[in-house]
Amino acid sequence: GTIDDPQERQSYVDELESNSTTLTSLVNGILDLSKIESGTTHFTYSDFDISYVCHDMFDSEQTTNNNKDIQYVLELSDEHLDVYSDMQRIAQVTQILLKNAKRFTEKGKITMRTERSDNFAKVSVIDTGVGIAENELDNLFQRYFRTDENKSVDGTGLNLSLCRAIIVVLGGEIG
């Protein structure tokens, strides 16, 4: 049959669109992760200042923030943190980490920090969100992992495993 009420019809369209976006994200995540793990993804290495990339991703995420109860703080290192890596993949990882922080922080603060740690550039995303139980930390970067407390929040459980796969290929650490 047909739906005569325009509001009801729009409600169904919105739900279909949302489910379509979620499904597309899931399929793309699985494909991306599989390609990285199988070694068939091409990485493009160049020299760049990682703080520059973090600043861009931070500004982008802060601009799209509609929650006035979240304060964004950016703490960039005073020194240049030049790295030889894949700039687009570093941007992808920082964007995922910031989006995750936003997803699980209803009120409080999200901080992105860059600093030198020994001979490495260190990027941290710190939030005052719901957090993760100590006994679940080991599973945090596993495919499809979602904490029991956060199952109601939209997501596929793939993003952090994708981050880990990217950072491992790039020769870094995440945790």
Side-chain angles (χ1 to χ4, degrees), residues 142-156:
Q142 300 302 314
R143 274 188 196 200
Y144 310 112
F145 175 73
R146 304 198 48 204
T147 65
D148 291 333
E149 296 85 22
N150 297 324
K151 297 247 188 220
S152 62
V153 177
D154 286 343
T156 61

Side-chain angles (χ1 to χ4, degrees), residues 25-31 33-34 37 139-148 150-151 155-162:
S25 176
L26 178 61
V27 170
N28 286 339
I30 291 169
L31 289 172
L33 189 54
S34 297
E37 289 176 341
N139 298 319
L140 187 60
F141 293 96
Q142 300 302 314
R143 274 188 196 200
Y144 310 112
F145 175 73
R146 304 198 48 204
T147 65
D148 291 333
N150 297 324
K151 297 247 188 220
T156 61
L158 277 177
N159 280 334
L160 292 180
S161 57
L162 178 59

Side-chain angles (χ1 to χ4, degrees), residues 3 36 52 149-150:
I3 301 172
I36 291 169
Y52 171 79
E149 296 85 22
N150 297 324

Side-chain angles (χ1 to χ4, degrees):
T2 62
I3 301 172
D4 295 327
D5 180 23
Q7 283 184 316
E8 186 179 0
R9 187 172 37 238
Q10 186 59 48
S11 173
Y12 284 119
V13 169
D14 291 346
E15 188 168 337
L16 281 170
E17 190 174 271
S18 174
N19 289 337
S20 173
T21 301
T22 300
L23 186 57
T24 300
S25 176
L26 178 61
V27 170
N28 286 339
I30 291 169
L31 289 172
D32 205 14
L33 189 54
S34 297
K35 287 179 187 176
I36 291 169
E37 289 176 341
S38 69
T40 58
T41 296
H42 177 73
F43 285 80
T44 305
Y45 291 85
S46 63
D47 289 310
F48 62 93
D49 184 346
I50 200 165
S51 293
Y52 171 79
V53 173
C54 290
H55 186 272
D56 275 0
M57 292 299 103
F58 183 87
D59 280 351
S60 174
E61 198 57 41
Q62 185 178 21
T63 301
T64 62
N65 177 38
N66 297 326
N67 185 344
K68 301 298 181 206
D69 292 331
I70 299 177
Q71 175 191 7
Y72 280 79
V73 178
L74 180 62
E75 300 174 356
L76 296 178
S77 174
D78 290 336
E79 63 179 305
H80 285 283
L81 296 177
D82 293 327
V83 296
Y84 183 72
S85 192
D86 185 315
M87 187 172 7
Q88 286 185 314
R89 291 298 182 161
I90 293 294
Q92 181 181 9
V93 168
T94 57
Q95 183 181 43
I96 288 170
L97 295 176
L98 285 166
K99 284 186 181 302
N100 252 26
K102 184 165 109 178
R103 186 178 304 134
F104 295 106
T105 305
E106 290 181 25
K107 175 196 261 187
K109 182 164 63 168
I110 297 173
T111 303
M112 176 175 254
R113 179 179 302 140
T114 63
E115 60 190 316
R116 181 165 308 284
S117 178
D118 297 322
N119 286 330
F120 293 93
K122 180 178 178 182
V123 177
S124 305
V125 176
I126 305 140
D127 64 70
T128 58
V130 293
I132 297 171
E134 187 85 25
N135 64 333
E136 294 183 314
L137 287 174
D138 289 341
N139 298 319
L140 187 60
F141 293 96
Q142 300 302 314
R143 274 188 196 200
Y144 310 112
F145 175 73
R146 304 198 48 204
T147 65
D148 291 333
E149 296 85 22
N150 297 324
K151 297 247 188 220
S152 62
V153 177
D154 286 343
T156 61
L158 277 177
N159 280 334
L160 292 180
S161 57
L162 178 59
C163 288
R164 171 173 266 166
I166 291 168
I167 294 301
V168 166
V169 168
L170 295 175
E173 296 177 9
I174 190 169

